[in-house]
Amino acid sequence: MTAIVTVTASPALDISFTVERMVAEEKLRGTRPVMHPGGGGINVARVATRLGAEVMALWMGGGCDGRRLADLLDEEGVRHEGLPARDEPRHSLHVEEGATGAMYRFVLPGAECSEAEGARLVARVGELAQTSFLVLSGSLPPSLPADYYARLAARAPAGARVVLDTSGEALRRGLAGHVYLAKPNRKELAAAAGRALTSRDELVRAARELIDAGRVEVVAVSLGEDGLVVITGEGHEHVPAPKVTMVSAVGAGDSTVAGIVVGLVRGLPLGEAARLGAAAGAAAVLSEGTELGSRQDTERLFAALRGAGSG
Ligand SMILES: Nc1ncnc2c1ncn2[C@@H]1O[C@H](COP(=O)(O)OP(=O)(O)OP(=O)(O)O)[C@@H](O)[C@H]1O
Ligand SMILES: [Mg+2]
C-alpha cells in the first residue's frame, strides 16, 4: 500500500542558471547550472516527500538524461520507478537575469513517446498495488493522444482517488469521469469550459458544470496570490493565499497539488487540505529559482492559515 503514486509521462531535467543581462546576439556567460528532476508528477512527489508522505513517482524516460534524472531523484530520497523509453526526458531551462531578477523559462518539447511505450505506462498503472491517491500531472508527450489521462485514470487501482493537473486538451479530455480532483488555474479552467471566466461566480459556475456532468468530483481552481477556490457538488469555499514576498513562482502549482493530496492523506477535511496546498504553493514562491518550498516554511504558513479561518 502506497499513499500517493504520481505519474509523469513527460519528465524533465530542470536546468537553472543566472546571466547578468539577457542581450540578443551577445555571448551571455552564465553561472554554474543547477539541475533538478522535474515534470509535474515528479515535482508533486518531491514536495510530498518533503512533507513526510509516503509517495512513489512513476515516470518514463531513457538515455543518459533518464539515468541522470533517476540519480537526482535518488539523491533527494524520492522513491521512484522509471520505465525505460527510447527517448530522453525533455529539458526545461530557467534563466534568471541577475540585474533585474526576471526569470526566463524555456520549455522544450517532450520526448517522442511511442504508442507501445504509452501502452506500457497504462499497463503499469493497472498493476499498481493499493494506493490512496493517483496523481496525474504535467503535459503529455505530443505523440500521445489527448485522452491519455482519461485512459490512465480509468486504470487507477480500486479505491484510489485520481488527481489531475494539466492543461489544454489533455485536461478537457482527461476529465471523463474517473477523476476525483482537478487543479486548474483560471486560464486552464476557462479553456476546459470553452469560455472566458472573469468573475468568481463565472468560475464557480464553470467548475460546477464539470461536476454536474459527472466528469470530476472536486475542482480546486488556483488563482496565484488570490489563493484557491474549492468547488464541490455541495458548495464552494475560498482559501486565501498566505501573504509572502514573491521570490520565484516556479513550482507553485505542483506544490499546491502536493499539499492538497498530503493533507487528504493526513485525514484532513477538504478545506483544510486546500489550506495545506495554499501553504505549500506560497512556500515555493518564497524559495529562490527552481527550489521548491521547505517543509518548515509550509508548516508555518499552514499553521497561520488555519489560525486565520476562511477569507
Ligand atoms: N504570489 C503568491 N503569493 C502567495 N501564494 C501564492 C502566490 N502565487 C501562488 N501562490 C500559491 O500557490 C498556488 C498555486 O499557484 P498558481 O495559481 O500560480 O498555480 P499555477 O498557475 O498552476 O502555477 P504553475 O505555473 O506552477 O503550474 C496558489 O493557489 C496560491 O495558494
Ligand atoms: Mg499549474
Side-chain angles (χ1 to χ4, degrees):
M1 165 90 190
T2 308
I4 305 166
V5 174
T6 73
V7 180
T8 314
S10 185
L13 275 183
D14 284 343
I15 302 166
S16 48
F17 56 91
T18 303
V19 300
E20 190 45 29
R21 277 210 183 271
M22 291 290 275
V23 188
E25 316 296 344
E26 279 186 24
K27 270 187 191 163
L28 308 178
R29 298 203 185 269
T31 56
R32 217 180 163 71
V34 178
M35 243 180 238
H36 290 297
I42 284 177
N43 276 331
V44 172
R46 292 171 66 210
V47 177
T49 300
R50 285 181 189 202
L51 295 179
E54 200 217 333
V55 53
M56 199 271 281
L58 180 61
W59 57 281
M60 194 164 56
C64 291
D65 284 343
R67 283 193 293 279
R68 183 181 299 236
L69 200 119
D71 288 346
L72 290 167
L73 285 166
D74 289 339
E75 279 167 28
E76 259 190 61
V78 177
R79 234 183 97 206
H80 67 101
E81 179 183 323
L83 298 185
R86 194 178 38 86
D87 229 353
E88 309 211 31
R90 67 198 159 92
H91 289 172
S92 284
L93 301 181
H94 306 259
V95 185
E96 189 174 331
E97 187 179 53
T100 60
M103 177 73 91
Y104 294 82
R105 297 165 76 172
F106 301 87
V107 179
L108 306 181
E112 278 302 320
C113 176
S114 72
E115 216 178 297
E117 287 166 351
R120 204 175 316 136
L121 186 57
V122 173
R124 183 66 191 95
V125 166
E127 292 161 10
L128 286 172
Q130 220 190 337
T131 299
S132 302
F133 288 90
L134 181 71
V135 180
L136 311 176
S137 174
S139 57
L140 286 176
S143 52
L144 289 181
D147 69 350
Y148 188 72
Y149 277 136
R151 295 188 200 180
L152 281 180
R155 295 295 295 273
R161 285 190 273 179
V162 177
V163 173
L164 180 63
D165 179 14
T166 188
S167 59
E169 279 296 284
L171 173 64
R172 202 177 65 79
R173 301 283 301 277
L175 296 177
H178 295 282
V179 176
Y180 166 68
L181 182 147
K183 194 225 63 70
N185 58 28
R186 183 196 294 273
K187 218 166 107 193
E188 290 159 352
L189 179 62
R195 58 178 192 268
L197 305 171
T198 41
S199 69
R200 175 85 51 85
D201 282 351
E202 283 174 335
L203 190 147
V204 170
R205 212 172 307 129
R208 185 62 58 68
E209 282 167 17
L210 296 174
I211 295 166
D212 290 346
R215 293 170 61 187
V216 58
E217 287 178 54
V218 178
V219 181
V221 191
S222 70
L223 305 169
E225 63 183 0
D226 293 328
L228 293 159
V229 183
V230 182
I231 302 117
T232 67
E234 276 83 57
H236 68 273
E237 182 185 5
H238 175 236
V239 171
K243 296 252 173 301
V244 295
T245 310
M246 160 83 137
V247 180
S248 153
V250 177
D254 296 333
S255 300
T256 299
V257 172
I260 295 172
V261 174
V262 170
L264 293 172
V265 167
R266 288 183 188 174
L268 298 176
L270 184 59
E272 292 286 295
R275 282 172 176 74
L276 185 57
V285 165
L286 267 180
S287 307
E288 289 212 359
T290 55
E291 286 298 332
L292 299 169
S294 69
R295 178 170 194 169
Q296 206 184 8
D297 281 341
T298 302
E299 302 290 357
R300 176 176 55 80
L301 294 167
F302 177 48
L305 274 183
R306 280 183 123 173
S310 74

